[in-house]
Amino acid sequence: MTAPDGVVTWAEIDLDAIAANTRAIKAFVGDHTQIIASIKANAYGHNEVQVAHTVLQSGATMLAVHRTIDGVRLRKAGITAPILILGYTSRSGIPLLVNYHLTPAVIDRDIAVRLSEQATTPIPIHIKVDSGMSRFGLFPEEVLDFVKFVSKLPHLKIEGVFSHFATSDEANRQPMLDQWHTFQGVLQTLEEAGFQIPMRHICNSGGVISLPEAHLDAVRPGILIYGLNPSAECIAPFPLRPGLTLKSLVVRVRTLPAGSAIGYGRTYTTQEPMVAALVPIGYGDGYHRLISNRGAVLIHGQRAPVRGRVSMDQIVVDVSHIPDVQVEDEVVVIGEQGSEKITAEEVAQWAETINYEVLTALHPQVVRVYKRNGEIIR
């Protein structure tokens, strides 16, 4: 597609791909396991509202975000499905939870009491277990007493208990299995005490792939929904379609003489005349500075290497080997062009990070354009 009016750098979000990925996950986990779709961090950079509608139409029954305010935004956008708040809810956020019918993760007695006091009808809550990640959650030995305490509060309903795998995307399965066994022990303790929790969940995307026996009542896929694998060691056994293509335009073409130093710090000097194309994307857009002198983009279906440092708003690429590059030619930063492809994983390697960060780092100023049923919706 051509660039949106007045825009020089944009991301195309393929909602059909996100729908297909969600359906593939649902087929893999089966009818007895619900999908709680993780749309944290603005749906991993894809836009939480558009993705929410898409996944809910494609097999997900619940959404997961990290912060209360994220759930409020979704409610204001017309999302009526259950929304799980995975992170901490502050005392000042309790009225928002109540008023917008959000489902919090609760691990604090004071928060639980305040929530029960402010609610007028039973509020569903999920209790998080720290099974070995040492972040948010109760130690396993604390869970039963906490459940007993919360179960006596008049306006709280324990809907779920959950944990989170730390290494489900790694080849060494033992730490994941240790966490799984710890979580199973908690579930058994609760069951023996007479507590039947309807939604038990621990699997992130890596767990969905690596440990099917842990699918339980629900799974919480994230990166899989957006068409990427959790890691090179954790590959989905079903097809995935990347949901995002990042594009820009050539905005200047000129020949630099030999000996020209390019960009801040003059970290690249031409050894011979070089045809240079200027592309308006930089670390202010989320294109990492570590990509300097390492990465490439696609122009006319060929790779054009990044020369010099990535600036806040622009990069210079070498198009000496690409004939007839013109101003406003399309540039693909992530995605396919012709027979060539640059994946988020490859960009992550250049930036010394992971594909998750490549997607979530995309700044809101990068215009999102959405495709559904082969047509552009904006």
Side-chain angles (χ1 to χ4, degrees):
M1 63 164 285
T2 58
D5 292 344
V7 173
V8 291
T9 296
W10 71 101
E12 295 177 7
I13 311 301
D14 186 345
L15 297 175
D16 292 334
I18 291 171
N21 298 333
T22 306
R23 289 193 296 268
I25 297 166
K26 181 59 182 172
F28 184 70
V29 301
D31 292 337
H32 299 294
T33 299
Q34 296 186 56
I35 293 179
I36 305 172
S38 178
I39 58 171
K40 300 185 300 177
N42 195 27
Y44 292 42
H46 292 67
N47 184 288
E48 59 196 6
V49 175
Q50 292 283 0
V51 170
H53 285 297
T54 300
V55 297
L56 290 169
Q57 293 165 2
S58 306
T61 56
M62 192 171 189
L63 306 172
V65 295
H66 186 72
R67 299 178 177 89
T68 304
I69 197 65
D70 300 330
V72 171
R73 280 200 307 272
L74 288 167
R75 287 284 184 253
K76 288 182 176 179
I79 302 297
T80 59
I83 300 173
L84 175 62
I85 311 299
L86 294 170
Y88 173 77
T89 295
S90 65
R91 294 171 183 174
S92 64
I94 291 174
L96 294 174
L97 284 173
V98 174
N99 293 337
Y100 287 94
H101 306 288
L102 304 173
T103 303
V106 180
I107 63 168
D108 181 275
R109 293 191 181 209
D110 177 64
I111 294 292
V113 169
R114 290 169 183 267
L115 183 60
S116 180
E117 289 174 344
Q118 295 187 40
T120 55
T121 57
I123 298 288
I125 69 168
H126 288 222
I127 295 170
K128 185 165 188 184
V129 181
D130 178 4
S131 61
M133 203 168 181
S134 302
R135 301 191 312 181
F136 190 66
L138 296 165
F139 287 125
E141 60 271 19
E142 298 175 321
V143 175
L144 180 58
D145 284 346
F146 187 76
V147 168
K148 288 178 178 178
F149 174 80
V150 168
S151 66
K152 296 174 182 177
L153 297 175
H155 291 136
L156 297 189
K157 177 178 66 176
I158 303 173
E159 179 184 74
V161 61
F162 72 108
S163 193
H164 190 74
F165 284 130
T167 62
S168 58
D169 59 350
E170 297 181 4
N172 179 7
R173 291 171 52 87
Q174 194 56 53
M176 175 182 62
L177 293 174
D178 290 343
Q179 282 192 260
W180 170 229
H181 294 150
T182 297
F183 189 56
Q184 283 181 300
V186 170
L187 297 179
Q188 183 176 349
T189 297
L190 291 174
E191 187 173 337
E192 290 173 351
F195 292 100
Q196 299 293 326
I197 312 294
M199 290 187 72
R200 304 160 299 162
H201 49 106
I202 188 173
C203 284
N204 49 11
S205 287
V208 168
I209 295 169
S210 302
L211 201 63
E213 59 265 40
H215 288 172
L216 298 174
D217 305 299
V219 294
R220 302 187 310 275
I223 199 74
L224 288 175
I225 287 173
Y226 308 101
L228 278 67
N229 285 297
S231 73
E233 299 172 330
C234 186
I235 304 297
F238 44 82
L240 294 173
R241 291 165 51 186
L244 181 145
T245 299
L246 181 60
K247 292 184 176 182
S248 191
L249 297 175
V250 173
V251 297
R252 191 181 190 193
V253 183
R254 61 174 176 162
T255 299
L256 300 176
S260 297
I262 299 175
Y264 286 112
R266 298 163 62 91
T267 61
Y268 185 88
T269 301
T270 60
Q271 300 302 305
E272 55 190 29
M274 185 187 94
V275 182
L278 190 63
V279 181
I281 189 170
Y283 61 78
D285 303 299
Y287 192 66
H288 207 292
R289 192 167 179 264
L290 279 173
I291 297 172
S292 304
N293 291 309
R294 296 180 177 183
V297 299
L298 301 179
I299 300 175
H300 293 191
Q302 298 186 59
R303 289 183 173 236
V306 175
R307 301 303 192 198
R309 282 201 181 137
V310 174
S311 302
M312 185 181 294
D313 307 298
Q314 51 197 327
I315 57 174
V316 173
V317 299
D318 184 355
V319 294
S320 302
H321 58 296
I322 305 174
D324 198 32
V325 175
Q326 304 290 323
V327 169
E328 299 205 6
D329 281 351
E330 180 188 81
V331 178
V332 171
V333 181
I334 300 173
E336 298 183 12
Q337 191 184 64
S339 60
E340 264 285 7
K341 177 167 62 174
I342 293 176
T343 64
E345 286 81 7
E346 187 173 14
V347 174
Q349 289 178 347
W350 298 331
E352 299 180 20
T353 185
I354 56 176
N355 53 9
Y356 296 74
E357 186 178 7
V358 168
L359 296 180
T360 60
L362 286 180
H363 195 276
Q365 73 182 4
V366 177
V367 172
R368 271 64 166 180
V369 177
Y370 305 93
K371 296 190 294 185
R372 182 183 288 127
N373 298 325
E375 296 185 358
I376 300 299
I377 58 173
R378 295 181 181 173

